[in-house]
Structure formats: C-alpha cells, structure tokens
Amino acid sequence: MSGAIVDLSRERSPGTVTADVCVIGSGCAGATAAWVLAEAGRDVVVLEEGGDFTGTALTQRDGEMYDQLYMERGGRATEDLAVSVLQARVLGGGGVINASDVVPAPDGVLRHWVRRHGLTDLSPEALAPYRERALEDLSATEICEYQLNEANKRLREGTRALGWQGAPMMHNREGCMGLGTCLIGCPINAKRNPRFVAVPGALEAGARFFLRVRAARIEGANGEVKTVVARTLDERGYRECGDLRVRAKVVIVAANAVATPHLLLRSGIGNEHVGRHLTLQPQLPVVAEFEAEIEAFRGIPQSYAVTEFEVEDHPEHGLWGFRIEGIMGTPGIVSTLLPFVGRDAMEAMRAYRRMAGALLLVPDAASGTVTDGPGGRPLVAYAHRDDHKERLRAAARAAARIYLAAGATRVIVPTTPAVIVRSERDLGAIDAVSFAPATAPLISAHQQGSVRMAPSAAQGAADPEGRVYGARDVYVLDSSLFPTSASSHIMTPILTVSRYLAEKIAHT
C-alpha cells in the first residue's frame, strides 16, 4: 500500500476525510509518528501548513526562501520584539532549515527529568535504543577535519590557545558540497532530514500527507472520534481558501512549541498549563573580523563547538551554562544582525569575506507563554531573566577572547549601542549590555516546554505518554513536551522522544 502527498493549493479539497490517526505537523515529531503508526497498520493522515520544497525549488535566495520555509515569513517574534522566533513551515519541518546539528539529549538532562520532574519512563536507559535509532535515521557522523571551514578552524584555534574544551560537531549530511546555505534549505538534498527519511517511510506504509492546510481547531476532544477542522491555503500559503475536515480517533499535535499550544487553546483543550512554561533558548550572534579572507559562507556553517562552559546536570535546571558554536549566514541575514545602519552598515558588509561568526547558545529556564492573540494568531510573551542575561554576557566575553586569541582585529557584539572589542582591555564594555527589549538580535530556534509533560495534571499539561490532560486520545509529541531544555539542538531529542511515544500509541 502506498500513500500520497496532496497539495490542496493545487487540488480540490476532498471536504471530509477519515483516518485512524490525524497528525498535525510534518517535522521531526509529526513525520516520525506518522511513520511509526503507518507501519503499525494505522490509517494515518498528516496535515502540513507549508509546501514541499526540495532540490532546485530551494533557490538559495533569502527573500523567497524565508517567505516560504519559515512561519510568518521569518518574522515571528515575541510580543516586545526582543526575540526572533524561528520556526519551519514546510514538509519535513525544522530539519529542512536547520544547520544539521546532531546533539542528543545528554544523560544528565534525562536524569534531571527523572529526578526533578518525575518522568521515570524517560531514563537514559529507556531512551537509549530510541536515541540510537534517531542517530541511524539521521545517518549521523562527526564532521571530518576536511569539512571544517576556515571560520570554524579559527574558533578552534582560539579555543585551544586558551586551553578550553571544544570538539567538532555531529551532523546529518551525506554528499555535502559546502554551499553554506543550510538555513534556507539544501538544494542538493544532502540533509538526511525527515523529508528524506520519515516522510518516505510513512508514504510507503500508506500515510497521506495534505499540504497547504492550516489546522484551526479540534472538535470533540473527549469523544471516541475527533474532528480536526482545517483551512486550505493558496499556493504561496498567504490566504485561506477552503475547508478540510479530518475525522479520526487519535489526534497527534506536532506543530512546534508555539503552534501546538495555540491550537489546543483555540480548541479549548487541556488545563491551565497549556501555553505556559515556554523556553526559547535565546541565542546571540557575535561577529569577528580578520585581516585575511575567511569566507565563512563557504562550507558547513556550524561544525565546531566550544563546550568548556556547558553544564549538563545542573541540580535545578538540568542543561545550563552556555556553549559557543561557529555559524554564518547569507548576506541578507548577516546585514540585519549587524548593529549598523547607513554608511556604517555598508562599510561593515565590505568585510563580509573577512568575517567569522559564532552563536552563543544559552539554555534558559521556563519564562514564556503562548496565548491566542489578535486575529487568531499566536502571541508569544517572554520574560528575559537576569540569570540568562548574565550568562549571555559571560558567553560574549568568552567568544571575544577566543577570537582575539585566533587573531581577530575586532569582535562585534551586535547590541545597541554596539560593543566593539579590539583587545581584552575592551571586554569590560560587555558587562554594561542591558539586553533591554529590541536592543540585541536575539534568536530562538529551539522552543520547548509549552505543553509540559508531567506525572500529574497539577504539574503539567500532558501525561508521560504525551496524552493531553482532560482529553481523550489527543497527544502532543513535539518539543512542547520537554520540561526543560533537552539539548543545545533539539532535532535529535525530538526524533528520540517522538518514536518512543509513537510506539506506545501504536500498541494501545
């Protein structure tokens, strides 16, 4: 039996379809769940708001690709505009637009979940085979020496000069040609992401994928059969055009840690924990300039990580401290992150070939919420905690020291006003950075926790099997479940937990 991919911006909506399982979202969580359940013999329908972009459809053009591959065209942000909230809107989800970073949830984090959050089923021992399967599905390997570009080598050089710990990262690429445009999709299909693993597996087992469909609400959440009411979209995903209703006994919401709680809230499903406890992991970019040409836009953007300051088993928070990784973007995104305008901006971009960039990855405690905002759009609020700001400052100081040790002529911390570090004597200026709203280009790519998993409804929104409290056979399987930050990059933890929970559903 073979499934199908149906783009409802190009084909007439069937009106109403029936299935055993309706999965909302086709990313790491949704596609994996669809694959597991279809192989178990369930009739599975998957709804995806985005389109299908592979190969040359991924044009490597900033404007077009952010428009088509990202939620709200890449413009989603917290209500105070302090944090850019990057989320995918495409068949295959975040694996299509991420930097292919493979970082499983550390054992220390899982033990923290067991000890502090009562999730005794999610021990390192229980999840070990599912983590290995996730790595297998990703074809995960360590990035080789010849794949480290000059920018990441400079990061390594400075790290070693200071005597700090660091290591090459793992990734899920095969046949990479070093195009450097990972964040707007790989036009040679080198990423072993859900679009090329879980989606084909689910299709072969009979799952049906409906594209350009936006789930609006879930009706009858306490009944044996639920109805997912959805709206079809036009070819670019701009306007709602028609209707689709999916009737299913089991509904799995896997739409990301903003859209998932938003759909539950709009449907009146769940308890007071739905939409709360959100973590954003706000990241800050730092840019270093060198005299020599670095060409950080060539090769793998993120291939080396500074792990000296990362804590995996903080007694209160689990994953804590901070981590520094090389990164680079296309000219459009880099120009928006630099803290300059006018002639200063033009002058700064003339150094594009001599730039090396890093991301400061700083885990946060739960301090955000998702609510139903004006016009039916999700509203993300975030209280930026002082402990996170202080670790951002510490990470910026460390990154600046690394780049200076590697020979950088200046390091730019892109705040308003800008902090320029030319020697270690300038590091003290970083201590004065306030991180007031909209004064730093903070980026969130790893949202978690908004439908927190807990052993009781008093502590969270979903039970340890992903079932939403107060509903019948409505599940959440994405990063919304994680009670704390699972990892510095959450693709692998999502694949791990989704398969683990989907197999439980398949056997109920």
PDB file of all heavy atoms in Angstrom, residues 31 115 213 220 226 233 247 327 363 369 399 423:
ATOM      1  N   ALA A  31       6.359  13.645  11.389  1.00  0.00           N
ATOM      2  CA  ALA A  31       6.695  12.670  10.360  1.00  0.00           C
ATOM      3  C   ALA A  31       7.112  11.344  10.983  1.00  0.00           C
ATOM      4  O   ALA A  31       6.775  10.268  10.474  1.00  0.00           O
ATOM      5  CB  ALA A  31       7.807  13.215   9.463  1.00  0.00           C
ATOM      6  N   ARG A 115      14.553  12.780  38.007  1.00  0.00           N
ATOM      7  CA  ARG A 115      14.683  13.161  39.414  1.00  0.00           C
ATOM      8  C   ARG A 115      13.819  14.370  39.778  1.00  0.00           C
ATOM      9  O   ARG A 115      13.118  14.359  40.789  1.00  0.00           O
ATOM     10  CB  ARG A 115      16.162  13.468  39.697  1.00  0.00           C
ATOM     11  CG  ARG A 115      16.476  13.837  41.148  1.00  0.00           C
ATOM     12  CD  ARG A 115      17.958  14.125  41.324  1.00  0.00           C
ATOM     13  NE  ARG A 115      18.386  15.299  40.583  1.00  0.00           N
ATOM     14  CZ  ARG A 115      19.125  15.271  39.475  1.00  0.00           C
ATOM     15  NH1 ARG A 115      19.532  14.108  38.988  1.00  0.00           N
ATOM     16  NH2 ARG A 115      19.473  16.377  38.858  1.00  0.00           N
ATOM     17  N   VAL A 213      -2.372  23.199   4.373  1.00  0.00           N
ATOM     18  CA  VAL A 213      -3.558  23.040   5.222  1.00  0.00           C
ATOM     19  C   VAL A 213      -3.211  23.560   6.616  1.00  0.00           C
ATOM     20  O   VAL A 213      -2.231  23.121   7.217  1.00  0.00           O
ATOM     21  CB  VAL A 213      -3.997  21.563   5.317  1.00  0.00           C
ATOM     22  CG1 VAL A 213      -5.240  21.444   6.199  1.00  0.00           C
ATOM     23  CG2 VAL A 213      -4.279  20.990   3.943  1.00  0.00           C
ATOM     24  N   GLY A 220     -14.610  17.824  19.597  1.00  0.00           N
ATOM     25  CA  GLY A 220     -14.947  16.516  20.164  1.00  0.00           C
ATOM     26  C   GLY A 220     -13.767  15.836  20.826  1.00  0.00           C
ATOM     27  O   GLY A 220     -13.623  14.604  20.728  1.00  0.00           O
ATOM     28  N   LYS A 226     -12.665  12.298  16.936  1.00  0.00           N
ATOM     29  CA  LYS A 226     -12.441  13.737  16.932  1.00  0.00           C
ATOM     30  C   LYS A 226     -12.521  14.275  15.503  1.00  0.00           C
ATOM     31  O   LYS A 226     -12.329  13.519  14.548  1.00  0.00           O
ATOM     32  CB  LYS A 226     -11.044  14.062  17.490  1.00  0.00           C
ATOM     33  CG  LYS A 226     -10.960  14.190  18.997  1.00  0.00           C
ATOM     34  CD  LYS A 226     -11.195  12.910  19.760  1.00  0.00           C
ATOM     35  CE  LYS A 226     -10.077  11.899  19.605  1.00  0.00           C
ATOM     36  NZ  LYS A 226     -10.311  10.664  20.436  1.00  0.00           N
ATOM     37  N   LEU A 233      -5.002  26.544   2.020  1.00  0.00           N
ATOM     38  CA  LEU A 233      -4.312  27.790   1.707  1.00  0.00           C
ATOM     39  C   LEU A 233      -4.014  27.882   0.221  1.00  0.00           C
ATOM     40  O   LEU A 233      -4.056  26.873  -0.507  1.00  0.00           O
ATOM     41  CB  LEU A 233      -3.001  27.880   2.494  1.00  0.00           C
ATOM     42  CG  LEU A 233      -3.098  27.711   4.012  1.00  0.00           C
ATOM     43  CD1 LEU A 233      -1.693  27.701   4.617  1.00  0.00           C
ATOM     44  CD2 LEU A 233      -3.939  28.806   4.633  1.00  0.00           C
ATOM     45  N   ARG A 247     -11.702  13.376  10.298  1.00  0.00           N
ATOM     46  CA  ARG A 247     -12.299  12.652  11.415  1.00  0.00           C
ATOM     47  C   ARG A 247     -11.386  11.492  11.772  1.00  0.00           C
ATOM     48  O   ARG A 247     -11.052  10.659  10.926  1.00  0.00           O
ATOM     49  CB  ARG A 247     -13.704  12.158  11.066  1.00  0.00           C
ATOM     50  CG  ARG A 247     -14.707  13.303  10.922  1.00  0.00           C
ATOM     51  CD  ARG A 247     -16.074  12.829  10.431  1.00  0.00           C
ATOM     52  NE  ARG A 247     -16.641  11.756  11.258  1.00  0.00           N
ATOM     53  CZ  ARG A 247     -17.242  11.944  12.428  1.00  0.00           C
ATOM     54  NH1 ARG A 247     -17.333  13.173  12.932  1.00  0.00           N
ATOM     55  NH2 ARG A 247     -17.752  10.929  13.086  1.00  0.00           N
ATOM     56  N   ILE A 327      29.096  29.814  13.135  1.00  0.00           N
ATOM     57  CA  ILE A 327      27.884  29.953  12.332  1.00  0.00           C
ATOM     58  C   ILE A 327      28.170  30.974  11.234  1.00  0.00           C
ATOM     59  O   ILE A 327      29.104  31.781  11.345  1.00  0.00           O
ATOM     60  CB  ILE A 327      26.674  30.407  13.182  1.00  0.00           C
ATOM     61  CG1 ILE A 327      25.350  30.268  12.405  1.00  0.00           C
ATOM     62  CG2 ILE A 327      26.878  31.824  13.666  1.00  0.00           C
ATOM     63  CD1 ILE A 327      24.993  28.889  11.972  1.00  0.00           C
ATOM     64  N   PRO A 363      21.045  28.023  27.428  1.00  0.00           N
ATOM     65  CA  PRO A 363      19.754  27.481  27.873  1.00  0.00           C
ATOM     66  C   PRO A 363      19.090  28.419  28.878  1.00  0.00           C
ATOM     67  O   PRO A 363      19.758  29.122  29.634  1.00  0.00           O
ATOM     68  CB  PRO A 363      20.129  26.151  28.521  1.00  0.00           C
ATOM     69  CG  PRO A 363      21.493  25.838  28.025  1.00  0.00           C
ATOM     70  CD  PRO A 363      22.164  27.147  27.767  1.00  0.00           C
ATOM     71  N   THR A 369       5.227  32.382  27.601  1.00  0.00           N
ATOM     72  CA  THR A 369       3.858  31.896  27.443  1.00  0.00           C
ATOM     73  C   THR A 369       3.427  32.031  25.989  1.00  0.00           C
ATOM     74  O   THR A 369       3.941  32.875  25.239  1.00  0.00           O
ATOM     75  CB  THR A 369       2.865  32.684  28.314  1.00  0.00           C
ATOM     76  OG1 THR A 369       2.885  34.063  27.932  1.00  0.00           O
ATOM     77  CG2 THR A 369       3.189  32.540  29.790  1.00  0.00           C
ATOM     78  N   ALA A 399      33.585  34.364  23.918  1.00  0.00           N
ATOM     79  CA  ALA A 399      33.720  34.339  22.457  1.00  0.00           C
ATOM     80  C   ALA A 399      34.706  35.395  21.978  1.00  0.00           C
ATOM     81  O   ALA A 399      35.527  35.151  21.083  1.00  0.00           O
ATOM     82  CB  ALA A 399      32.351  34.553  21.808  1.00  0.00           C
ATOM     83  N   SER A 423      40.740  44.431  21.999  1.00  0.00           N
ATOM     84  CA  SER A 423      41.705  43.775  22.875  1.00  0.00           C
ATOM     85  C   SER A 423      40.977  43.391  24.152  1.00  0.00           C
ATOM     86  O   SER A 423      39.832  43.805  24.385  1.00  0.00           O
ATOM     87  CB  SER A 423      42.878  44.709  23.192  1.00  0.00           C
ATOM     88  OG  SER A 423      42.465  45.732  24.086  1.00  0.00           O
TER      89      SER A 423
END
